[in-house]
Amino acid sequence: ASCLSSLIEDRESKQLFPEPVPAISAGGAKSQAGAATASTSDSPATTEQPAPPAPPAPPSISDNKPPQRGEIYSATLGLANKHPVSAVYEYSNRMKYPNPWFAERWGPGGGWAYDVTLGPNTYSSPWFKAKKREAKMEACRYALQQLGIFTKIM
């Protein structure tokens, strides 16, 4: 029984938690006079730690303005790095629109252009291309640029 009582007394005599660390004021460290008086007291001398550096500001995609709708779509849907035609199809699926409708146009200079109907809106490409495939890709790129999603220039 004496061993148990001595263990309990030892546990009660030990300090369970360290002394609280004084907060550093906004003006910096204490003055030298304050530090000298603290070192002459019974408590052990403590060296003050410099304040930790402030965390960096969070990144801003639109220079402290609220993000545009296209910036949100571009960041969340991940369409900026996709082929323009597949990005148009994926955008229409995610927005619960029917599949996009492509209407081809024959240009005055002998080129092709497309009108892309994406949901309730129709986007007409102002550029004519020699090949239909390039014209469709350009029309999709134009539609995505008008939505604010696609800004990559090829």
Side-chain angles (χ1 to χ4, degrees):
S2 64
C3 291
L4 182 60
S5 62
S6 65
L7 285 174
I8 292 173
E9 289 174 9
D10 286 344
R11 180 179 270 178
E12 289 175 355
S13 65
K14 288 185 181 177
Q15 184 180 6
L16 296 178
F17 298 105
E19 289 294 321
V21 178
I24 297 175
S25 65
K30 291 182 180 177
S31 65
Q32 292 296 330
T37 57
S39 63
T40 58
S41 65
D42 296 271
S43 65
T46 58
T47 58
E48 292 188 19
Q49 299 291 328
S60 174
I61 59 173
S62 53
D63 301 325
N64 294 331
K65 292 182 262 179
Q68 299 289 327
R69 175 184 250 172
E71 291 174 329
I72 294 172
Y73 288 149
S74 178
T76 58
L77 299 179
L79 301 178
N81 296 326
K82 294 191 178 216
H83 191 274
V85 178
S86 65
V88 164
Y89 275 97
E90 188 167 337
Y91 175 80
S92 66
N93 285 337
R94 296 231 180 141
M95 297 302 291
K96 307 287 189 217
Y97 292 149
N99 281 343
W101 183 261
F102 298 97
E104 56 189 42
R105 294 182 286 142
W106 178 252
W112 294 96
Y114 278 87
D115 297 334
V116 181
T117 302
L118 188 57
N121 302 322
T122 300
Y123 303 96
S124 297
S125 175
W127 301 286
F128 289 89
K129 298 290 182 177
K131 296 182 179 180
K132 283 185 176 182
R133 181 179 179 194
E134 293 174 358
K136 189 174 186 178
M137 185 173 69
E138 191 64 38
C140 290
R141 185 180 296 131
Y142 177 75
L144 292 171
Q145 284 175 347
Q146 294 301 310
L147 290 168
I149 295 173
F150 200 78
T151 57
K152 186 168 39 173
I153 298 173
M154 292 182 153

